Amino acid sequence: MNDIRKLIQRPLDAVDGFLDGLTSYKLLLYFLIILIGWATLISFRHSVPFRWYDIILSALLIVADCRLSGELFARLLNIPRNFESDYITGLILALIMSPASTGKGFAVLAGAGFAAISSKYLITIYRRHIFNPAAVGAVISALLFHQYASWWVGTSALAPLVFIGGLLIMRKMHRFWLIAGFALVYGFFLHNQFDGAAPFHTVWLTATGTGILFFAFVMLTEPLTSPDRLRNYLMYVLVVGIGYGYNKLKLSPEEALLIGNGLAFLLEPWKRLELKLESVRKEAAGLYSFAFSHQGFFSFKAGQYMEWTLPVRQSDTRGNRRYLTLSSSPTENLLSFSVRIPPKASHFKQVLAGYKPGDKILAAHLAGSFSLPADQSKKLAFVAGGIGVTPFRSIAKYLIDSRQNRDISLLYCANSPDEFVFKDVFKQAEANGFSSHYLNTAAAPVSAEAISHAIPDYKDRLFFVSGPYGYVKAVRQALISLGVGPTSIKSDYFPGYG
């Protein structure tokens, strides 16, 4: 049984290692570029019904249009922007709108791109756009120019690439249940439409002959316009799935998505916050905590993370966004994250290092399942590597303030004793059943022996492992070698260490 688990886990580890080096925006951008490139190549074999130069020229036009439109609105409204987002919108439109071959056709594509980007800046509430920009562009194109989205990306020649890339996006963004729920709802209507047909054959034809895969993996999951919370997934996928799958409604896929986007906003209106820096605290050499105030209602669970965007125009290749864990507790008034700022820091961290009280930052996409289980009697073990300790500080502080007792054992690993932070919080949490163990990995690297020594009853505990990818992988392998089952090990999505 362990051999089978290892056989399954190895490719997953390899995939996670690859994904760990990419932001979700970079992954999606590269995926869309590869799709356009592959479509151009197979056009020579007539596997897609368009000429190669029409595909390239149309894609370049829409991307340039989205880029310039975004720059125009950003300057007029003095709003920070992310170039990757504009490129992504343009490439999505290039894959769902038929490539042009005439001047009028190119003008229509340019209009769709401008409408898409306009919606990001003009149809907003609480500094957040409500609707999927590419879907808006396609709908406006249909209404004004009678040029409808063809979803030409949904061809059998592109389907394998869409499926593989879509799985990577789903794993990176942790959107499995969202896509699975949509597939079930849509599958119900699909079965009714093809009553009597072989189920597998029906699914195969739909997956390889329509844009359903691209719609589900790329557009349905757009972070700002879809729900983040698992409990809201069901209503969202019901509305979009019925709109897409129920023929009598006569809705296009993009129209069904826009209706779902509106519902997602009503379910989670405070997905994007504009925060003001209140204080910066040096926790250790090179490690700082940034505390922000916010207006309006906002709730989260201890241990969750958010996407943080700096309002700057310039950035390096990694962009001006990072996913960072909230180190503050839901019981505290300020929202905080803690980061390590090395001597050769990324542009994001260089800007952050210069932040003063009163400076602004945008926070969105609250997510993460790295939170306390409902069963308070369940014994837990936290294993943290370096800055990966931040969710455990949030949880420990929550236990203290809520006066909740839990049997939790923390093994905290760092390269030197000077790097251990939040020891005062962990010490105070001992009154709530919390125990702490510290391991200097420069002297003794994390291993099965180190874990069993710090946590002798490891087989009775549910493990939460947090830290850089290589560290999490090593801890997971050590736990499995001790006989801890994979279902007893949780490691959440914590990118953004660089």
Side-chain angles (χ1 to χ4, degrees), residues 44-66:
F44 289 100
R45 297 190 294 120
H46 305 290
S47 298
V48 292
F50 304 105
R51 296 172 297 192
W52 67 269
Y53 47 86
D54 289 336
I55 295 173
I56 292 178
L57 288 176
S58 296
L60 289 175
L61 171 70
I62 300 178
V63 169
D65 180 39
C66 289

Side-chain angles (χ1 to χ4, degrees), residues 229-241:
R229 300 183 179 182
L230 190 61
R231 66 173 181 264
N232 294 329
Y233 282 3
L234 179 59
M235 292 184 65
Y236 177 66
V237 299
L238 274 174
V239 168
V240 180

Side-chain angles (χ1 to χ4, degrees), residues 166-379:
L167 289 178
L168 293 176
I169 292 168
M170 180 180 69
R171 187 165 181 84
K172 177 71 173 179
M173 298 178 66
H174 283 220
R175 285 294 206 249
F176 172 79
W177 292 113
L178 180 72
I179 293 174
F182 172 75
L184 288 175
V185 175
Y186 180 75
F188 172 79
F189 290 102
L190 185 68
H191 175 72
N192 288 339
Q193 291 174 31
F194 294 90
D195 190 26
F200 178 80
H201 184 62
T202 300
V203 171
W204 175 260
L205 289 177
T206 303
T208 59
T210 73
I212 187 67
L213 291 178
F214 188 83
F215 177 88
F217 286 126
V218 175
M219 299 186 70
L220 183 74
T221 59
E222 202 239 336
L224 271 182
T225 59
S226 62
D228 286 331
R229 300 183 179 182
L230 190 61
R231 66 173 181 264
N232 294 329
Y233 282 3
L234 179 59
M235 292 184 65
Y236 177 66
V237 299
L238 274 174
V239 168
V240 180
I242 292 171
Y244 192 120
Y246 189 39
N247 282 343
K248 291 185 179 180
L249 292 177
K250 297 182 179 179
L251 293 175
S252 66
E254 55 272 20
E255 289 171 336
L257 182 60
L258 293 181
I259 295 171
N261 293 158
L263 174 64
F265 175 79
L266 294 176
L267 292 172
E268 299 176 12
W270 294 100
K271 281 189 63 169
R272 191 167 197 173
L273 306 173
E274 184 178 56
L275 309 176
K276 182 174 71 173
L277 180 65
E278 295 294 336
S279 64
V280 180
R281 176 179 174 179
K282 185 176 181 179
E283 305 287 358
L287 198 152
Y288 301 85
S289 291
F290 295 79
F292 299 86
S293 60
H294 64 93
Q295 296 179 341
F297 174 77
F298 179 72
S299 65
F300 66 97
K301 293 181 179 180
Q304 290 189 297
Y305 62 84
M306 298 186 75
E307 181 196 68
W308 303 80
T309 304
L310 294 177
V312 294
R313 293 187 179 278
Q314 310 237 338
S315 66
D316 55 19
T317 56
R318 295 193 60 192
N320 63 339
R321 306 182 185 190
R322 292 291 188 278
Y323 283 98
L324 299 169
T325 309
L326 287 161
S327 54
S328 54
S329 163
T331 56
E332 296 177 294
N333 293 326
L334 300 180
L335 294 179
S336 303
F337 63 74
S338 304
V339 293
R340 184 173 301 284
I341 302 180
K344 295 182 179 180
S346 63
H347 186 264
F348 179 95
K349 290 187 176 179
Q350 290 177 27
V351 173
L352 196 61
Y355 254 42
K356 305 296 182 187
D359 288 342
K360 303 289 183 67
I361 195 169
L362 298 176
H365 307 166
L366 176 69
S369 58
F370 226 55
S371 51
L372 292 168
D375 183 4
Q376 296 189 19
S377 65
K378 182 66 179 177
K379 298 172 71 174

Side-chain angles (χ1 to χ4, degrees), residues 106-130:
F106 285 118
V108 169
L109 292 181
F114 181 78
I117 298 301
S118 300
S119 72
K120 290 177 60 176
Y121 291 91
L122 301 180
I123 310 177
T124 62
I125 301 178
Y126 308 136
R127 301 293 297 270
R128 164 191 168 190
H129 65 268
I130 310 303

